[in-house]
Amino acid sequence: MVTRFRAYLLGTEGSSVSYFANRRFTVIEGRLNVCNRKTLLSEMEICGVTHANDLDVTNWDADHCAGSELEALLGLVRPSRIHCPGYVPHTVNGDTCLAIIEAYRHEMRFSNRGASVRQITPAFIANLDHARDLAFQETYDSTLADI
């Protein structure tokens, strides 16, 4: 199985990462600017994908998901699934990001692919062992639940 992991320079504080395995492309964090745009597009081309399967946002803080960049990122990578923090944002940036994600989900309802949004809550993490027993394919490492 071809597997690739890339961390992208942003030219500012924060993170932007992608992971490719089993023909699935995942973008980690909601960041896109002039520094990482070209390299993210190049990585998608190398992996032979035209869109991301998943966007995983780990935190509502601006260094993980920037409201000023998120709409452009969604338009560029067009993820089918978005995983976001399972807590209510406590900043204007977090509220903005959540609104952008909801607008994207609504817009994609009318496309031929659709998009789902899942909040990764402690209850979701707690049920993963049960889900794995039922042969679901999507699992998270429970050691990350406290992050």
Side-chain angles (χ1 to χ4, degrees), residues 26-39:
T26 299
V27 175
I28 304 169
E29 306 303 9
R31 299 294 310 272
L32 182 72
N33 64 26
V34 296
C35 291
N36 71 334
R37 181 185 181 90
K38 183 177 180 181
T39 51

Side-chain angles (χ1 to χ4, degrees), residues 15 28 48 57-58 62 71 77 83 99 102 115-116 127 136-137 147:
S15 61
I28 304 169
V57 176
T58 64
E71 196 167 358
V77 301
H83 299 125
E102 182 55 29
S116 65
N127 284 320
F136 288 105
Q137 298 298 312
I147 294 179

Side-chain angles (χ1 to χ4, degrees), residues 57-127:
V57 176
T58 64
N59 192 302
W60 291 125
D61 293 342
D63 59 336
H64 293 270
C65 188
S68 59
E69 300 171 352
L70 182 58
E71 196 167 358
L73 177 65
L74 291 170
L76 182 72
V77 301
R78 299 180 323 279
S80 302
R81 290 188 305 192
I82 301 173
H83 299 125
C84 56
Y87 61 89
V88 176
H90 59 279
T91 63
V92 171
N93 177 75
D95 289 338
T96 300
C97 290
L98 190 55
I100 290 169
I101 288 170
E102 182 55 29
Y104 174 79
R105 185 194 65 77
H106 182 74
E107 177 186 325
M108 292 299 288
R109 283 184 17 198
F110 303 107
S111 75
N112 62 350
R113 285 192 316 120
S116 65
V117 176
R118 178 173 294 149
Q119 292 183 316
I120 307 303
T121 63
F124 177 84
I125 298 296
N127 284 320

Side-chain angles (χ1 to χ4, degrees), residues 125-142:
I125 298 296
N127 284 320
L128 289 175
D129 288 335
H130 178 67
R132 191 173 18 253
D133 293 342
L134 296 174
F136 288 105
Q137 298 298 312
E138 180 178 70
T139 59
Y140 287 83
D141 183 351
S142 61

